């Protein structure tokens, strides 16, 4: 895969992740506001999920998106150094189909399993 195509894929994925992070941060702010309401006794509401449960889910999704953004940044560095698309274990090329699905992949399918 050529560097220009790799950059485009990584840029697109970064925009997607940044958009997801923006939505998750809005969700966190909303939950923070709801949790500050002293009258919200969601822990004893048998009808729905708790704010604590929702908070944990949003926090896990946010941390996952932040980790993905770091992987994208590392992949951009590999593009700059000329090592993008090469397996970090065996040194063989990573299949284009794998890079299209996971543009920040560091390992070929054989080494990833």
């Amino acid at each position: 895969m050529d560097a220009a195509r790799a950059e485009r894929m990584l840029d697109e994925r970064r925009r997607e992740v940044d958009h997801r992070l923006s939505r998750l941060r809005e969700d966190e702010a909303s939950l923070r506001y709801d949790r500050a309401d002293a009258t919200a006794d969601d822990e004893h509401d048998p009808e729905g999920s708790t704010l604590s449960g929702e908070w944990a889910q949003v926090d896990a999704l946010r941390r996952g998106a932040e980790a993905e953004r770091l992987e994208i940044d590392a992949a951009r560095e590999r593009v700059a150094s000329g090592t993008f698309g090469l397996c970090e274990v065996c040194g063989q090329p990573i299949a284009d189909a794998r890079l299209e699905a996971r543009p920040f992949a560091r390992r070929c399918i054989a080494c990833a399993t």
Side-chain angles (χ1 to χ4, degrees):
M1 178 176 298
D2 66 60
R5 182 172 175 215
E7 289 283 346
R8 284 191 305 273
M9 284 189 340
L10 291 167
D11 287 345
E12 180 179 335
R13 188 67 169 254
R14 177 68 187 249
R15 282 190 297 275
E16 292 170 5
V17 169
D18 287 344
H19 180 70
R20 190 174 350 133
L21 276 170
S22 175
R23 287 192 332 262
L24 289 167
R25 287 182 180 132
E26 288 172 8
D27 290 347
E28 277 186 324
S30 176
L31 287 168
R32 193 174 299 115
Y33 176 80
D34 290 345
R35 287 181 81 172
D37 183 5
T39 63
D41 184 18
D42 73 328
E43 299 297 325
H44 299 96
D45 179 6
E47 297 298 318
S49 64
T50 65
L51 288 176
S52 297
E54 289 179 36
W55 182 276
Q57 182 179 15
V58 169
D59 182 60
L61 291 170
R62 180 191 46 78
R63 285 185 284 117
E66 288 172 345
E68 185 174 342
R69 189 168 55 178
L70 291 173
E71 288 290 338
I72 292 167
D73 291 344
R76 292 181 67 87
E77 291 175 14
R78 291 192 300 277
V79 170
S81 70
T83 61
F84 178 83
L86 298 177
C87 178
E88 68 183 10
V89 175
C90 69
Q92 295 300 309
I94 299 171
D96 284 351
R98 178 164 170 74
L99 291 172
E100 287 173 13
R102 189 175 173 89
F104 46 86
R106 295 173 181 260
R107 296 180 178 149
C108 67
I109 292 172
C111 291
T113 56

